Amino acid sequence: GCASLTAISLPDTVTQMGDHIFNGCTSLTSVTLPSGLEQLRMSAFKDCVSLEEIDLPSSLWNVGVGAFQGCTALKEVKLPEDPSESEIKKALTEEAKAILAAIPPRSFPVALCVEGKQMSSPDLSRKLESVTAECGTLCFIIGSSHGLAPEVKSAAKMRLSVSELTFPHQLMRVILYEAVYRCYQIAKGSKYHK
């Protein structure tokens, strides 16, 4: 790894990136992938701990195992406009590794997913109150519009659905924040709920 490398911009003539090519580039924060990139090989960006966002071009058809493993600052990997099933599966697998690594120990992970249980605000308030008394820390996991990988759902101690509707990730954060705030106001006996 090249510890002093902070940005990469590759020419559009590059169609594949080899195994471990930027593995361990710990200062890397910005990557511009070529628009014609077809293959991103195994562990290409493994342990690039400062990398926060990367856009995957629509030409990409192969993402190798562990391509983004250990990229703990990675907040968002953007899929092509119309991703294939294999692209979605690979993205969910990579996302699962990052999510599972980020779940705090001894916390109570809650996966927000469409097949989760829908609850009223008072019921959720009671549940969160008992869980925080027992575990202390809640960890909410919000998936993409493609959902969450099965291993993430299995790691969750609770599956929650806010609605059968699909919301943009950013909006779901606001909805969740409001729901949790309302739950704590209910627990305090505040008039906020009504």
Side-chain angles (χ1 to χ4, degrees):
C2 187
S4 61
L5 185 64
T6 59
I8 300 168
S9 183
L10 298 168
D12 287 338
T13 54
V14 174
T15 59
Q16 62 177 298
M17 296 171 65
D19 294 348
H20 306 281
I21 189 163
F22 295 108
N23 185 344
C25 295
T26 56
S27 299
L28 185 62
T29 59
S30 173
V31 175
T32 304
L33 294 176
S35 60
L37 185 68
E38 296 175 355
Q39 295 188 59
L40 185 61
R41 304 295 295 269
M42 181 174 72
S43 301
F45 291 98
K46 182 179 178 189
D47 295 327
C48 292
V49 295
S50 300
L51 186 60
E52 294 182 1
E53 184 176 333
I54 189 164
D55 290 336
L56 301 178
S58 59
S59 57
L60 188 66
W61 60 267
N62 180 26
V63 177
V65 174
F68 299 102
Q69 183 179 347
C71 296
T72 53
L74 192 60
K75 305 290 187 229
E76 186 172 358
V77 175
K78 295 181 182 173
L79 288 169
E81 188 66 33
D82 189 21
S84 68
E85 284 300 314
S86 66
E87 288 172 320
I88 293 169
K89 184 177 178 182
K90 286 178 185 177
L92 288 177
T93 300
E94 287 300 315
E95 178 186 64
K97 291 175 187 172
I99 289 171
L100 294 173
I103 295 174
R106 295 176 300 284
S107 67
F108 188 89
V110 179
L112 276 77
C113 47
V114 72
E115 68 273 17
K117 181 178 181 181
Q118 291 188 12
M119 302 175 81
S120 68
S121 294
D123 288 344
L124 183 58
S125 176
R126 284 188 289 279
K127 179 68 175 176
L128 296 184
E129 193 172 19
S130 73
V131 164
T132 53
E134 184 180 317
C135 297
T137 304
L138 291 166
C139 176
F140 290 97
I141 304 166
I142 303 171
S144 69
S145 60
H146 301 291
L148 291 166
E151 54 267 41
V152 173
K153 293 176 190 177
S154 294
K157 294 180 181 173
M158 177 180 172
R159 294 181 190 184
L160 178 67
S161 174
V162 175
S163 169
E164 290 185 20
L165 300 173
T166 301
F167 296 102
H169 190 92
Q170 294 81 359
L171 179 58
M172 191 60 236
R173 290 178 184 176
V174 175
I175 293 169
L176 177 62
Y177 179 78
E178 159 58 27
V180 171
Y181 179 78
R182 181 175 298 272
C183 288
Y184 283 105
Q185 292 303 309
I186 291 169
K188 282 178 31 180
S190 164
K191 294 183 185 223
Y192 179 82
H193 179 54
K194 297 291 177 185

